[in-house]
Amino acid sequence: MRIFSETEIRIIGCLIEKEITTPEQYPLTLNALTTACNQKSNRDPVTSLTDSDVLDSVNALIQERIITDETRGNSRVAKYQHRFCNTEFGSLKLSKQELAILCVLFLRGPQTPGELRTRTQRLCEFDNVAQVENVLNGLSADEHNPKVIKLAKEPGKREARFAHLFCGEVSQATAMVQQTPSESHDNERIVALESDVADLKLEVEELKKLINNLLDK
């Protein structure tokens, strides 16, 4: 399995996310991709990448055909899309649920199954946390090429977190740095708020569609 840099995996995660959640704006321009990488919501850690930083990584991924330049016609603005998985010539095949989980892990680091169920709502559907755990177990089942790893349960926690392995091995110490004690304490409240926000966004999108349909008549 190819080992990616943190910037490369952030770029791939953003392209996967935007392809699913805002298909009308996909493929992404360099400016849109940089903005997506540096979002202050749904990202951990929050980054301050420049267009140059993103372009360097994009060009490296283009060389390996993991990203393609989809600029068409006389457009002067380059647009990029991922070919991370499920392509005709690639070996990596993922279900919608597997892709959603990896996308959120790429964008937010190690998380519990409960967090993943909440944070993948805009990408796919899970009936319950047990279904998330089954998908995670499938992603970690390949003895020679596991895609995720279950981390040791932290003291006082009910659920263990899972991390992706596309940036190489993850040590427990490294994973713990990504979540401070205050973040851990507020975790359940934040997850609940994120779920409410996701529901509200879906309602807004439905209202927009309804209004547009009425205006078109």
Side-chain angles (χ1 to χ4, degrees), residues 103-122:
C103 175
V104 175
L105 289 176
F106 290 170
L107 296 176
R108 304 191 69 151
Q111 293 159 78
T112 66
E115 290 169 335
L116 287 167
R117 185 193 177 197
T118 297
R119 292 167 179 171
T120 54
Q121 283 185 345
R122 297 172 65 214

Side-chain angles (χ1 to χ4, degrees), residues 66-86:
I66 297 167
I67 286 179
T68 56
D69 184 339
E70 295 298 314
T71 309
R72 291 187 172 89
N74 296 321
S75 175
R76 296 181 180 180
V77 181
K79 293 190 174 184
Y80 306 103
Q81 72 175 28
H82 77 88
R83 295 178 61 83
F84 175 70
C85 62
N86 301 338

